[in-house]
Amino acid sequence: MSSYFELLLRFDPNGLRDAAKSWRGLSSSVREADIRHRSQVNGPLRHMKWSGKDAEYAFSTLERTEQILEIVRVESAAVALALDTVADRMYQAQTNLRNAVHRAEEWGLSIASDGTVNLPVQSYADQHDADGQADRKALVTLRGEAQERVNKALTDAREASDKGDLALSRLDADILTRPRVFGAAAETARDVRDVEKDLGLTSPYIPENTDPQKSADWWKSLTPEQQAGYLALHPDQVGQLDGLPSTVRDEANRLVLEQQLDELKSGDARGSGLTFEEYNKREGALRELKERLDQQDGESAEKQLFLLGLDAKGDGKAIVALGNPDTADHTAVMVPGTGTTLASMPGQITRVTALQDSAIDAGHGNKNVSVISWLGYDAPEIPPESLGVMGTGRANDGAEAMRRFTTGTRVAQGDHHSHLTVIGHSYGTTAVGAAAAGGQGLGADDIVAIASPGMTVTEAEKLHIDPSHFWVGAADDDNIRKVAGLTLGDDPMFEGFGGNNIQIDTSGHSGYWDENSQSLANQGRIIAGQPPNTVPKEAEVDPNVAPGI
């Protein structure tokens, strides 16, 4: 039986590397199959509004199919990582062993088949010669050094093999045959983290989400195989990076959505810190979002949804684009206001759909339009907690994230410069104002404030935009008018603020997206780069002058 020493000398890392390549190929093939399944099978069937018991059974089966594909994809990528890591470490140990052997031979030492370093036979004369004794003593020292090198190489090889064995033992190959088990996708995500830990790998370099251009450059520097590996093994980090292509962020965040939803569906709340009510609320919000995404997977390109951000903690945050902003001729970012949570996202998608349709009509259908619902900040609650809606704290806290997102949108577009409009509604206008006023602004071509209580500033010029491209509107009976200008900045409807007031013909605080309304049409015109219908700015009332005098 060959010793570890002989096995390591003969080790061929190409066997493991070829196996890793095959596993990566499987992961890639399954990834493509999953995308096709969503766009050509599940999506179209959901779009047809198929219902009934047969539909329920079919959709459950389709969902199970997608779960299997996702698990196989992630675990295959993890297997490839483990095999490549072991191959590299074994090859390094082999190289170190061969170097030790060559060094020992250079010193006149021999190595047995079991890795034992031996001294040469000493002659009778040398045994009784002072110089010979000194040389022998030096050689003994060198023998000890050579043995240490050999032992270290063998130990490193065994450690690499053992860690690889432990890592691979965590991955389960029975997903294709075992009955449906909720929590399997989430378990796979945990397995990946454990695999990296078992292998002793440091966290892979992924840029902090601070500079969209640096994030984009990092992504472009990766090979397709590396990109696929990061997507499969670290989707939670990749999906949050502003500046990456929308298709990449969507793919990563959908995988995160599936894993988080699967963990919640398993009913395992251990360590979550959630109450039973909070647990069910979060599960319901994620489920509604997934169903809305699934429904539009079979739509035409301009109606495709892209999940650009997801954070289920607390009330939850999400960023969803209707149409690809990377290739759109006109892009709008819609920032919602008070009371908006992750659970509100399906309703927000309905609003951005109305805005997109209106913008397409305004442009006579000649241009591509993408509208994004950006809930990337913690919107105040209803009723307001800690008077959050009365102050600018929530807006200021989300300002940098909003600036980073619009900058990342530009970066992802590259040389294709889309006309960018940022629209805020209610407290969302306060968030837009705080973001636009800080740093270098939002880089928007137009800013729209709908039903604004104030934008943290006293005039449009402080929003880093030409006031002629600032638009504001509110319904006469919108209660927001009663508090506008009190605590969140000056009322942008008034003449002294600057900009333009657009025609509003709807009622209340939520009617601005009513079908066939001028309120909606004017927002669509601005998104499409067309002039909206305007009305004169309001004159401020002098509080020192009594009415009628």
Side-chain angles (χ1 to χ4, degrees):
M1 185 175 184
S2 299
S3 67
Y4 285 121
F5 176 78
E6 293 176 315
L7 289 173
L8 185 55
L9 283 177
R10 296 199 304 268
F11 171 71
D12 182 2
N14 291 323
L16 289 178
R17 288 170 178 161
D18 288 344
K21 182 178 180 180
S22 295
W23 280 103
R24 279 197 302 272
L26 175 60
S27 181
S28 178
S29 296
V30 171
R31 169 193 178 192
E32 294 172 0
D34 187 26
I35 294 173
R36 288 197 304 272
H37 188 273
R38 286 195 293 106
S39 62
Q40 299 178 18
V41 181
N42 195 9
L45 286 175
R46 290 184 180 277
H47 179 63
M48 292 168 59
K49 308 295 184 184
W50 186 23
S51 61
K53 291 185 177 180
D54 289 343
E56 291 177 5
Y57 180 81
F59 285 133
S60 177
T61 301
L62 294 176
E63 185 175 345
R64 169 61 172 164
T65 298
E66 291 182 1
Q67 181 193 63
I68 290 174
L69 292 172
E70 288 164 358
I71 290 174
V72 172
R73 170 192 173 185
V74 172
E75 295 213 356
S76 297
V79 171
L81 173 65
L83 293 175
D84 270 334
T85 300
V86 172
D88 290 343
R89 290 176 176 175
M90 292 284 289
Y91 178 68
Q92 183 61 58
Q94 181 190 58
T95 300
N96 292 341
L97 179 62
R98 287 177 172 173
N99 289 338
V101 170
H102 293 323
R103 185 64 66 186
E105 292 173 347
E106 184 179 278
W107 291 337
L109 304 170
S110 62
I111 302 180
S113 62
D114 64 354
T116 301
V117 181
N118 298 309
L119 292 167
V121 177
Q122 189 177 27
S123 67
Y124 178 82
D126 286 341
Q127 292 178 17
H128 298 82
D129 180 73
D131 292 337
Q133 290 289 352
D135 292 342
R136 187 70 171 184
K137 185 176 181 179
L139 199 57
V140 169
T141 300
L142 293 175
R143 175 190 176 279
E145 182 180 333
Q147 190 67 68
E148 286 182 5
R149 292 185 181 187
V150 169
N151 293 344
K152 178 66 165 56
L154 294 175
T155 298
D156 289 347
R158 281 193 293 268
E159 182 179 339
S161 178
D162 291 345
K163 285 185 175 181
D165 180 62
L166 176 60
L168 291 174
S169 70
R170 293 187 182 276
L171 303 174
D172 200 346
D174 66 353
I175 186 62
L176 297 175
T177 57
R178 66 177 171 175
R180 181 183 182 92
V181 177
F182 289 120
E187 181 183 346
T188 295
R190 291 192 295 269
D191 285 345
V192 167
R193 292 191 290 271
D194 288 337
V195 164
E196 293 179 329
K197 182 179 179 181
D198 292 338
L199 293 171
L201 295 173
T202 59
S203 299
Y205 173 73
I206 298 176
E208 294 184 6
N209 191 24
T210 56
D211 186 332
Q213 187 61 60
K214 287 184 178 179
S215 296
D217 292 342
W218 166 77
W219 185 255
K220 292 175 183 177
S221 72
L222 302 176
T223 65
E225 291 80 10
Q226 289 172 326
Q227 291 177 349
Y230 276 104
L231 274 169
L233 303 178
H234 301 280
D236 53 334
Q237 294 173 269
V238 172
Q240 302 305 313
L241 290 179
D242 294 307
L244 266 59
S246 294
T247 52
V248 171
R249 297 184 68 176
D250 175 63
E251 183 178 341
N253 286 313
R254 288 198 190 218
L255 185 54
V256 172
L257 172 60
E258 292 284 0
Q259 292 172 348
Q260 291 188 356
L261 184 59
D262 186 60
E263 183 172 23
L264 290 167
K265 285 190 300 183
S266 70
D268 183 6
R270 291 174 298 177
S272 68
L274 300 176
T275 65
F276 182 75
E277 181 180 357
E278 291 170 337
Y279 202 80
N280 286 335
K281 183 178 179 181
R282 181 175 295 183
E283 193 274 340
L286 290 173
R287 164 57 61 183
E288 288 290 328
L289 176 58
K290 173 177 166 46
E291 289 185 354
R292 189 60 186 265
L293 293 170
D294 287 346
Q295 287 172 5
Q296 295 198 217
D297 277 340
E299 290 273 13
S300 56
E302 67 271 12
K303 294 297 182 182
Q304 291 288 312
L305 292 175
F306 296 81
L307 184 58
L308 304 183
L310 179 66
D311 181 357
K313 295 189 295 292
D315 291 333
K317 301 173 185 175
I319 305 170
V320 179
L322 178 64
N324 190 339
D326 300 352
T327 57
D329 300 299
H330 300 282
T331 302
V333 178
M334 172 68 183
V335 182
T338 303
T340 309
T341 65
L342 179 61
S344 309
M345 192 49 61
Q348 294 301 316
I349 292 173
T350 299
R351 286 186 177 180
V352 298
T353 300
L355 285 170
Q356 186 197 54
D357 290 341
S358 179
I360 290 174
D361 288 343
H364 306 291
N366 296 324
K367 300 291 184 178
N368 294 327
V369 177
S370 173
V371 185
I372 304 166
S373 177
W374 189 86
L375 182 60
Y377 80 114
D378 187 13
E381 296 79 14
I382 296 179
E385 295 181 3
S386 303
L387 298 179
V389 74
M390 302 302 292
T392 60
R394 299 288 184 91
N396 292 330
D397 289 346
E400 178 57 33
M402 194 188 303
R403 286 193 293 269
R404 191 172 59 244
F405 179 78
T406 56
T407 299
T409 300
R410 293 295 200 197
V411 169
Q413 291 171 349
D415 294 334
H416 173 75
H417 186 87
S418 174
H419 172 257
L420 177 62
T421 302
V422 177
I423 304 174
H425 172 240
S426 189
Y427 191 88
T429 67
T430 310
V432 170
Q440 300 299 313
L442 293 171
D445 297 295
D446 289 279
I447 293 178
V448 183
I450 299 295
S452 177
M455 301 187 71
T456 76
V457 295
T458 57
E459 55 186 348
E461 286 187 350
K462 295 183 178 180
L463 300 176
H464 287 95
I465 196 170
D466 183 339
S468 66
H469 286 273
F470 173 74
W471 315 87
V472 59
D476 291 337
D477 62 348
D478 190 336
N479 287 330
I480 203 73
R481 298 303 312 277
K482 298 177 182 179
V483 298
L486 295 182
T487 62
L488 301 177
D490 288 3
D491 188 341
M493 295 285 290
F494 287 141
E495 192 172 25
F497 194 88
N500 313 276
N501 285 13
I502 62 174
Q503 181 184 0
I504 299 292
D505 63 346
T506 48
S507 299
H509 192 58
S510 301
Y512 301 99
W513 303 275
D514 287 353
E515 189 176 2
N516 298 321
S517 68
Q518 282 299 307
S519 301
L520 175 61
N522 281 322
Q523 293 177 75
R525 292 182 185 112
I526 296 170
I527 294 172
Q530 303 296 322
N533 295 331
T534 60
V535 295
K537 296 287 289 186
E538 297 182 8
E540 293 192 56
V541 178
D542 188 341
N544 298 314
V545 178
I549 297 179

